[in-house]
Amino acid sequence: MRHSEPRSPSVWSPVDPTPEERRIDEKAAATAAGEVSDFVLDLLLREHRSENRRRGLEEGRRLARELLSRRGRIGPGPQHWGLVIALCEASETAAPKNPTRALELAELAVAAARQVALDVPGSESFRSRLEGWALGFVANAKRVIGSDLPGAGRTWIDVWRLWRAGEDSARLLSEAYLLDMEASLRRAQRELPVALKLHERALELAQPEETGIILLNQAVTREESDDPKGALQSLERAALVIDGERRPRLRWSLRFNQASSLCVLGRAQEAVPLVEEARLLAERLRNEIDLIRTVWLDAKCLVGLGKREEALIRLGQVRRSFEAHPFDYALASLDMATLYREEGRFSEIKALSGSILKIFKAQNVHREALAAVILFHEAAEKERVSVELVRRLQNFLAKARTNPGLRFEA
């Protein structure tokens, strides 16, 4: 989770010093002379706000742990602003592995934001912005779930309405973060030019600690915009600001995407050491999905190096690991099908198409994706599969994963 460091606010903020704290600061500053006194007071107030922010976030995380340990709901009565931020953090953490849980946590955050105990004049403005912040995580979880992207888009309308109606003078919340999350939705909706503009706006507003992850997301959007050179440029900028020791998962993402872009550009040899670093990071983090995806990328590098049989072995491992993930299973299978088709190995393609169809039926994959796989299976049975057909199906399934209404043109 990213937050901006507080600055001296001109209007009320939940991290403002208490009246007693302010009296102490004013008394201390009065010992200095002239303009220096104002400088000292401002410095002391900043320190109090920073400390109050730290304590508020700690308290919010404690309250979130208590709430989630009880598996409870937000009850009646006042809530703490730090709880809202902590629930959003939990939602973000849950999203990659359990997006349904991420949505539940984000909805808890919205409920808490609406009940934040703020009775100081002007505090309603902060509450509006806090609710908009939490609602952004609802929209993000809906994006990751993928079944209602239009609904996620409508949620963003409410996010920005609440955000713009409010104020967060201490900059506890990050507009850059929200812009970057919306960019991810627009990318999923294939509104790639819109997504790129949102990334750029986010970078303009970002604090230094936020820049790296925004550049990583921008690189993904550029890659999906068929701009691997632009993606590599974003990643090179990200490499200058990401602290790999403090955030090893971001380091994995950086190396993985750099290697992927290099493979797309036909520079597989340069990608090899990056893939190896990504593998070591995935093992260190004990992240099974990251490790599987690194093996998959290794297979693509091997293809680029002309080591096709080794690549097929790796892809076979990936397929077996993704049997519970039908789209990834299909995409890895189609990577194998491309290699088989280039060698005229139709019997293997038939077997692959049959296994994809079986997985899709067993896991009730949505109608349009299933229909596309049936067409591919029929073509395989008649030995009419071309490399172009395989690639068009891959592109379709990569998009259809989050867009059930998309149709495949055979």
Side-chain angles (χ1 to χ4, degrees), residues 56-280:
L57 292 174
E58 282 186 358
E59 176 66 5
R61 289 166 187 146
R62 183 189 68 77
L63 291 170
R65 287 193 297 271
E66 289 183 1
L67 176 69
L68 298 179
S69 69
R70 300 193 306 268
R71 295 183 176 273
R73 297 180 179 276
I74 298 296
Q79 304 297 328
H80 190 281
W81 64 268
L83 173 62
V84 178
I85 292 178
L87 289 170
C88 290
E89 289 176 338
S91 174
E92 181 181 41
T93 300
K97 295 182 179 180
N98 190 344
T100 301
R101 179 58 174 161
L103 180 58
E104 293 170 355
L105 291 165
E107 288 174 340
L108 280 175
V110 172
R114 290 170 178 164
Q115 296 171 218
V116 164
L118 304 173
D119 54 5
V120 178
S123 60
E124 297 83 0
S125 181
F126 176 75
R127 182 161 28 210
S128 176
R129 185 153 284 197
L130 187 65
E131 183 181 345
W133 172 261
L135 199 59
F137 288 83
V138 171
N140 189 60
K142 288 179 178 180
R143 171 189 67 83
V144 180
I145 291 170
S147 59
D148 184 18
L149 294 184
R154 290 190 294 272
T155 301
W156 276 108
I157 296 173
D158 291 331
V159 170
W160 292 120
R161 174 181 55 78
L162 288 162
W163 183 267
R164 288 165 186 148
E167 189 169 359
D168 170 25
S169 59
R171 297 176 67 179
L172 296 173
L173 312 170
S174 168
E175 185 174 355
Y177 195 89
L178 289 180
L179 288 164
D180 196 49
M181 283 201 297
E182 186 183 1
S184 295
L185 170 68
R186 303 310 171 190
R187 180 175 65 227
Q189 293 177 315
R190 313 313 297 169
E191 297 177 22
L192 298 174
V194 174
L196 288 169
K197 288 180 180 178
L198 288 166
H199 288 310
E200 287 295 338
R201 179 62 176 151
L203 286 169
E204 290 172 3
L205 298 177
Q207 295 295 308
E209 68 274 13
E210 299 176 313
T211 303
I213 194 167
I214 295 173
L215 287 166
L216 287 177
N217 289 336
Q218 182 190 61
V220 174
T221 304
R222 284 180 163 176
E223 188 76 60
E224 294 191 17
S225 302
D226 297 322
D227 182 16
K229 289 184 179 179
L232 204 55
Q233 290 171 356
S234 294
L235 294 167
E236 288 168 353
R237 289 176 61 194
L240 299 175
V241 294
I242 288 176
D243 184 346
E245 289 302 315
R246 191 169 65 89
R247 306 186 73 179
R249 179 60 173 72
L250 284 187
R251 178 80 170 188
W252 175 86
S253 183
L254 171 68
R255 294 310 189 209
F256 181 93
N257 285 292
Q258 283 179 311
S260 179
S261 293
L262 288 168
C263 285
V264 171
L265 291 167
R267 297 160 59 183
Q269 191 64 55
E270 296 174 59
V272 171
L274 300 177
V275 173
E276 178 61 15
E277 184 179 346
R279 183 186 66 79
L280 293 172

Side-chain angles (χ1 to χ4, degrees), residues 294-312:
T294 304
V295 173
W296 195 350
L297 181 56
D298 186 31
K300 294 178 181 180
C301 283
L302 289 168
V303 172
L305 296 171
K307 300 178 180 180
R308 300 166 68 88
E309 287 304 318
E310 290 182 51
L312 286 167

